[in-house]
Amino acid sequence: MPDQLAAHIRFPHRRLKLDTLVRLRWLAVGGQTAALLVVYIGFGYALPAGLAFSLVALSAWLNVFLKIRWPSSTRLSESAATLQLAYDILQMSGLLFLTGGLGNPFSVLLIAPVMVSATALSAMQTIILGVLATLCASLLAILHLPLPWPNGEVFSLPLIYSVGFWIALVTTLGFMATYAFRVAEEARQLADALAATELVLAREQHLNALDGLATAAAHELGTPLATIYLVAKELSDEFEKGDLRGEDVALIRSQAERCRNILRQLTSLSSDEDTTYQRMPVSQLLEDVVAPHRGFGISLNISASGQGMEPVGSRNAAIRYGLGNILENAVDFASETVDVSASWDDETVAITIRDDGNGFAPEVLARLGDPYVSARGRKSNSRDEDSGLGLGFFIAKTLLERTGAKLYLENRPPPTHGALIRVTWPRSAIESTGSMDAKPFAHHKM
């Protein structure tokens, strides 16, 4: 079950909070302001202070605008975060252009925005920012104003040193970005795995709670159902044969008996008392599942075929309940026909249920089986539109998966229409008494 659930889960890259980038930019503004004041006022070095402080002020005003325009808790999209980090690279490059280019020891700070991207954004966004930082470093190696120096002297680095520093900067950029991205990606994968595990555990907790509710409901409803059944039985003797009222009473009696059988199945799911030693072939299993759903105006077609001997396994209330719930949904949603078929070979056993209704809604197909996800609207002459909460299918799916089954859900390909649900087991699970009886549910006793 975890593997099947993980296949439907798509965790996006962790999106940066706006407040995170704003705080980092305030840190950069403070550091840049302090460095410019120390160099310009403290050391008295000549530099284009007006332009330099204007670039710093631009970052400050950008932060003020962002704080006013959006709340601090805003999560940025990858494109928005990339644009802000690209601005930080360009702003830092502008300051370095005014203060000596790569000869300025603070040029290593070009790496910082790329490191932030590597830890929080996707690989493509990090590559884009890395290429931008490399282009800026390449331009700064050639085009820049002189490095501020005392007494009006001009400081220039040897060409070989400048080339070596550019290579070291670009190499460090690539290595650090790759390293940071891989470490962050492993952390993201671990977080995704833990999130998927939590979802699986939540599904199990839902089912455990529903097991208890089923037992309680069966206990509470048993007495009134017995009373209804007894009264209906007595009333049936009061009407003559052919009286329509007698037919209605007989219908009430039969449906009350069916409710009692359903409640007995529900209570047996959480106990070992359901284990029987009677074995049954797959074709007989289909007959047992289909029998309660005949007579509702839908044509039910059964077929069973395969290679080799027909699989024979022990009776299992969980399998009967799970398949019965899926078949009941198919009957509700079908227009005229529901096909139930079984096939097998030396390794697997598959049971397929097809209906000719409207099929599954595309937007919920990947989420079917989760609690409170309704698969599709029911027919207007059957039940209220979109009345289901998806709990019945959730219970059926989870119970079947506990017996070793895998469920495949899809819409039938054109020109046919409707839904198709295929349930497959390893043949050894069907034929093994240990895996087909009620023992897998022993740990859910109430």
Side-chain angles (χ1 to χ4, degrees):
M1 181 171 62
D3 293 339
Q4 188 173 10
L5 178 63
H8 297 308
I9 299 177
R10 296 292 183 267
F11 294 99
H13 289 284
R14 304 304 189 256
R15 299 200 296 175
L16 279 171
K17 287 178 63 177
L18 175 63
D19 190 58
T20 300
L21 291 183
V22 168
R23 288 176 181 271
L24 291 175
R25 193 172 295 112
W26 279 127
L27 183 63
V29 167
Q32 292 167 0
T33 301
L36 289 173
L37 290 175
V38 169
V39 172
Y40 184 66
I41 298 178
F43 294 158
Y45 291 0
L47 56 83
L51 291 176
F53 280 109
S54 296
L55 286 175
V56 176
L58 181 61
S59 291
W61 280 112
L62 175 61
N63 272 358
V64 172
F65 170 76
L66 293 175
K67 291 289 287 184
I68 295 175
R69 180 63 178 81
W70 290 283
S72 300
S73 59
T74 301
R75 293 279 180 176
L76 298 173
S77 64
E78 285 208 337
S79 57
T82 302
L83 287 176
Q84 290 203 40
L85 292 173
Y87 162 81
D88 293 331
I89 293 175
L90 295 175
Q91 189 263 359
M92 188 65 193
S93 300
L95 283 177
L96 292 175
F97 171 79
L98 298 174
T99 56
L102 294 187
N104 189 322
F106 290 102
S107 59
V108 294
L109 291 176
L110 280 173
I111 299 175
V114 184
M115 295 300 100
V116 174
S117 174
T119 57
L121 302 181
S122 64
M124 180 58 64
Q125 308 301 323
T126 302
I127 291 173
I128 291 174
L129 292 174
V131 170
L132 177 61
T134 301
L135 291 175
C136 290
S138 302
L139 292 174
L140 289 172
I142 303 172
L143 302 173
H144 58 82
L145 297 182
L147 181 71
W149 209 249
N151 302 322
E153 298 179 8
V154 176
F155 178 84
S156 61
L157 295 172
L159 178 61
I160 188 66
Y161 183 86
S162 298
V163 174
F165 185 81
W166 178 87
I167 295 174
L169 182 64
V170 174
T171 303
T172 302
L173 175 66
F175 173 78
M176 292 298 293
T178 303
Y179 178 80
F181 179 79
R182 288 308 309 163
V183 172
E185 183 67 15
E186 290 178 2
R188 283 192 286 262
Q189 291 174 354
L190 178 60
D192 291 349
L194 291 175
T197 303
E198 290 175 356
L199 288 177
V200 173
L201 292 176
R203 287 165 56 111
E204 293 295 326
Q205 291 171 357
H206 273 292
L207 186 64
N208 289 341
L210 291 170
D211 281 346
L213 290 175
T215 303
H219 181 268
E220 295 295 328
L221 294 175
T223 300
L225 277 176
T227 303
I228 294 173
Y229 180 80
L230 179 61
V231 172
K233 182 178 180 181
E234 292 178 353
L235 285 176
S236 62
D237 297 333
E238 301 292 330
F239 300 102
E240 298 180 357
K241 186 177 181 181
D243 193 326
L244 295 179
R245 293 174 297 174
E247 295 178 1
D248 293 338
V249 171
L251 178 61
I252 293 174
R253 177 181 174 184
S254 65
Q255 292 304 305
E257 178 63 25
R258 184 187 175 197
C259 289
R260 294 172 65 183
N261 293 333
I262 292 173
L263 291 178
R264 280 196 293 267
Q265 289 184 10
L266 288 176
T267 55
S268 69
L269 293 179
S270 299
S271 68
D272 292 329
E273 298 176 358
D274 182 67
T275 304
T276 62
Y277 297 99
Q278 182 180 359
R279 297 172 63 79
M280 61 188 304
V282 172
S283 57
Q284 182 60 45
L285 171 64
L286 295 186
E287 292 290 345
D288 287 356
V289 170
V290 169
H293 303 283
R294 296 190 184 277
F296 287 92
I298 297 296
S299 174
L300 293 172
N301 303 320
I302 301 178
S303 61
S305 62
Q307 302 175 4
M309 297 286 293
E310 181 178 358
V312 178
S314 297
R315 296 180 183 272
N316 186 342
I319 293 180
R320 294 200 305 273
Y321 177 85
L323 293 177
N325 184 274
I326 294 174
L327 179 60
E328 182 179 1
N329 285 334
V331 170
D332 283 340
F333 297 125
S335 297
E336 297 180 354
T337 305
V338 174
D339 296 323
V340 183
S341 62
S343 61
W344 59 84
D345 55 30
D346 293 337
E347 297 182 356
T348 61
V349 177
I351 294 178
T352 304
I353 299 175
R354 304 177 180 87
D355 66 64
D356 59 351
N358 294 326
F360 298 114
E363 63 271 13
V364 299
L365 184 58
R367 300 172 54 214
L368 288 181
D370 293 340
Y372 308 113
V373 175
S374 184
R376 43 187 173 160
R378 298 177 182 271
K379 297 180 299 182
S380 59
N381 61 352
S382 176
R383 302 184 190 179
D384 294 338
E385 193 76 10
D386 296 328
S387 60
L389 293 177
L391 285 176
F393 190 82
F394 158 71
I395 297 171
K397 181 174 181 290
T398 306
L399 289 176
L400 289 172
E401 286 173 341
R402 284 183 177 179
T403 67
K406 291 185 178 181
L407 275 71
Y408 303 90
L409 301 89
E410 60 185 2
N411 289 320
R412 300 174 66 181
T416 58
H417 56 87
L420 183 150
I421 299 179
R422 180 177 292 106
V423 187
T424 63
W425 291 267
R427 184 176 179 121
S428 58
I430 290 291
E431 296 181 332
S432 171
T433 57
S435 61
M436 282 294 291
D437 59 23
K439 292 182 180 179
F441 307 94
H443 62 286
H444 289 286
K445 288 183 69 176
M446 296 296 172

